[in-house]
Amino acid sequence: MDVNKQMILKKIPTKASEEFRNFPMVPRVVYGKGSFDTLGDILMPKRKHSEAPMIYLVDDVFENTELISRIPSIFCDQVILISAEEEPKTEQVDALVKMIQEMFTELPSGIIGIGGGTLLDLAKAVAIMLTNKGNASEYQGWDLVNKQSVYHVGIPTISGTGAEVSRTTVLMGPEKKLGINSDYTTFDQVLLDPELTVGVPKEQWFYTGMDCFIHCIESLNGTFLNAFSQSYGEKSLELCKEVFLEDLSASESREKLMMASWHGGMSIAYSQVGVAHAMSYGLGYVLGVKHGIGNCLVFQYLEEFYPEGVSVFNQMLKKHNIVLPKQICSKLTTAEMDTMIKVAIGMEPLWENALGEQWKSIITPEKLKAIYQKI
Ligand code: NAD
Ligand code: ZN
């Protein structure tokens, strides 16, 4: 980090608590190939009694696979298969909570999310909404949750989002796509078993992996950077470069990407993401483009902001023969384009991190339109 930049951009805090955020971390984590089989032992002491089930929310890509038979389901536990075709919605969370409440008289002992960012976010949100009144959309924002959530466990099966460590769960609501950011969102337990990512299709592996790479670039080049974020961001970036530019064995590559995701998530916890994420939110909101690929679609045109990052990204695309879709925004109406720009510009902390407090003098609707039109 450029020290001058850090000094110029250090904000004058109004309250000490605004400058020094006291954020929660995952208190327990198991790591290692085959560690999924420790889940039964991990959950046992968390079982309140036989009528208070463990609810497993599992990506339906695992339907009829061996993984389902390894889930330590006992008593009245439930395995609920959920599609990750679309990103999670607040109404989906509300429906799941209602279903669980109708099925059982007791509050579940735990919610276990098994899958990618989509399933991890759903598990976090369901755990919160089982103990907090109202609808999930009422909690989209910062620190609106006031009751402890149900014990919840995250088990990633694809690496990159950092959702396993973050204090947010990103949901599409009736009015906005925004996270439930709270101290009660973070998982109580995470289980990192790199073998669970074996079946991930190549393109999806790349897009979700690039989410992690872009977290690092945006965090390390942001004005909010500090030694805490930098230490995690640099490690994550190093691992991403090994995974996507070197010729590691498949097993080593899976292990390293899983840890890159973890470190990338830790890096942004104490800083922020930037331009690609702000613009990707616009793509997601208007066109339903998913997070990982959306970030890639934007990032390729951001050489002005991240010259080195974009150059490395292009090398990675080439090495893995990934061809990004084209003309995604070519058929947008003026109104849709305006909404997309509005959603992107609304992500103020991301712009401030990327470009500093004076970001509005650099980023205009015209500028964003010109970038979107290339996509
Ligand atoms: P995902 O969960 O959307 O899954 C992508 C695809 O990969 C799906 O088709 C899924 O079925 C498949 N898949 C997952 N594991 C697999 C496996 N082992 N084998 C075969 N197929 C597998 O992907 P993602 O990129 O991890 O998550 C994206 C979501 O994460 C978005 O909703 C985004 O908003 C969210 N996100 C959350 C955070 C956070 O901090 N909470 C951060 C970044 C992104
Ligand atoms: Zn991301």
Side-chain angles (χ1 to χ4, degrees):
M1 166 74 182
D2 177 341
V3 176
N4 287 330
K5 204 164 156 194
Q6 195 168 18
M7 286 176 55
I8 296 164
L9 293 156
K10 191 164 164 45
K11 281 189 279 175
I12 300 157
T14 45
K15 276 194 287 181
S17 58
E18 279 176 21
E19 186 183 12
F20 304 110
R21 288 185 302 131
N22 184 11
F23 76 90
M25 286 172 69
V26 173
R28 283 186 172 262
V29 55
V30 188
Y31 169 79
K33 282 194 277 184
S35 61
F36 186 76
D37 294 326
T38 64
L39 186 60
D41 290 344
I42 291 171
L43 297 181
M44 194 52 85
K46 301 293 177 186
R47 291 181 182 276
K48 288 183 280 190
H49 51 80
S50 59
E51 304 299 310
M54 290 291 171
I55 310 279
Y56 305 87
L57 304 182
V58 186
D59 190 320
D60 70 1
V61 77
F62 293 108
E63 191 170 10
N64 300 323
T65 66
E66 190 221 348
L67 186 74
I68 303 288
S69 61
R70 288 165 67 200
I71 292 176
S73 166
I74 53 171
F75 306 131
C76 54
D77 288 1
Q78 285 292 320
V79 175
I80 303 176
L81 294 169
I82 298 174
S83 165
E85 202 59 45
E86 289 181 12
E87 297 195 338
K89 297 183 179 55
T90 53
E91 57 187 33
Q92 189 184 6
V93 173
D94 295 335
L96 277 165
V97 169
K98 189 161 174 265
M99 183 176 104
I100 295 168
Q101 284 167 338
E102 283 171 1
M103 264 173 148
F104 302 98
T105 46
E106 297 285 333
L107 201 60
S109 294
I111 303 293
I112 298 99
I114 306 178
T118 299
L119 268 291
L120 297 181
D121 278 358
L122 275 174
K124 289 171 169 183
V126 167
I128 290 170
M129 294 313 301
L130 278 166
T131 54
N132 287 274
K133 289 200 177 75
N135 297 323
S137 61
E138 295 164 39
Y139 297 90
Q140 284 179 288
W142 281 267
D143 300 303
L144 302 171
V145 180
N146 39 45
K147 282 211 183 110
Q148 182 69 47
S149 45
V150 168
Y151 170 79
H152 52 303
V153 180
I155 308 183
T157 64
I158 178 169
S159 302
T161 63
E164 64 278 18
V165 286
S166 73
R167 88 190 268 284
T168 189
T169 157
V170 185
L171 302 174
M172 181 72 88
E175 284 156 27
K176 55 196 173 217
K177 182 177 176 186
L178 185 63
I180 300 181
N181 299 263
S182 84
D183 284 352
Y184 304 110
T185 308
T186 317
F187 284 114
D188 297 296
Q189 169 83 55
V190 167
L191 191 151
L192 300 176
D193 182 343
E195 270 181 357
L196 301 184
T197 68
V198 166
V200 175
K202 183 172 171 191
E203 292 198 334
Q204 189 63 54
W205 163 79
F206 188 85
Y207 298 144
T208 302
M210 284 303 109
D211 187 23
C212 177
F213 173 71
I214 296 169
H215 289 160
C216 300
I217 299 298
E218 294 189 328
S219 167
L220 292 170
N221 293 285
T223 62
F224 293 179
L225 190 67
N226 50 71
F228 185 102
S229 293
Q230 188 174 7
S231 62
Y232 286 105
E234 285 175 354
K235 187 68 210 174
S236 178
L237 182 60
E238 181 190 316
L239 291 166
C240 285
K241 286 182 178 167
E242 283 184 59
V243 169
F244 291 101
L245 293 176
E246 293 180 16
D247 296 300
L248 305 179
S249 70
S251 151
E252 204 181 348
S253 166
R254 284 194 291 272
E255 291 170 12
K256 291 197 170 182
L257 192 53
M258 192 160 259
M259 290 322 297
S261 174
W262 180 275
H263 282 79
M266 286 301 295
S267 179
I268 48 177
Y270 226 102
S271 61
Q272 190 43 280
V273 284
V275 182
H277 274 77
M279 294 191 68
S280 175
Y281 267 97
L283 281 178
Y285 189 80
V286 175
L287 292 170
V289 175
K290 294 188 79 180
H291 188 85
I293 187 168
N295 285 346
C296 292
L297 288 169
V298 176
F299 194 72
Q300 62 181 329
Y301 296 117
L302 300 185
E303 9 356 26
E304 178 186 346
F305 306 103
Y306 308 112
E308 252 185 79
V310 173
S311 151
V312 175
F313 175 75
N314 286 331
Q315 287 171 44
M316 292 170 168
L317 275 176
K318 199 165 165 219
K319 181 164 171 74
H320 297 288
N321 300 316
I322 303 288
V323 181
L324 294 172
K326 290 193 178 14
Q327 298 198 310
I328 301 291
C329 296
S330 63
K331 293 205 178 75
L332 284 182
T333 63
T334 311
E336 284 170 329
M337 178 61 89
D338 289 347
T339 306
M340 199 177 259
I341 293 168
K342 200 171 145 217
V343 169
I345 288 196
M347 310 301 292
E348 296 204 1
L350 283 66
W351 293 110
E352 195 182 329
N353 174 46
L355 305 165
E357 282 175 11
Q358 306 306 318
W359 65 270
K360 285 186 182 149
S361 63
I362 306 169
I363 290 300
T364 58
E366 294 70 38
K367 179 142 194 142
L368 293 191
K369 189 172 180 182
I371 300 175
Y372 276 133
Q373 279 172 338
K374 290 188 200 169
I375 296 174

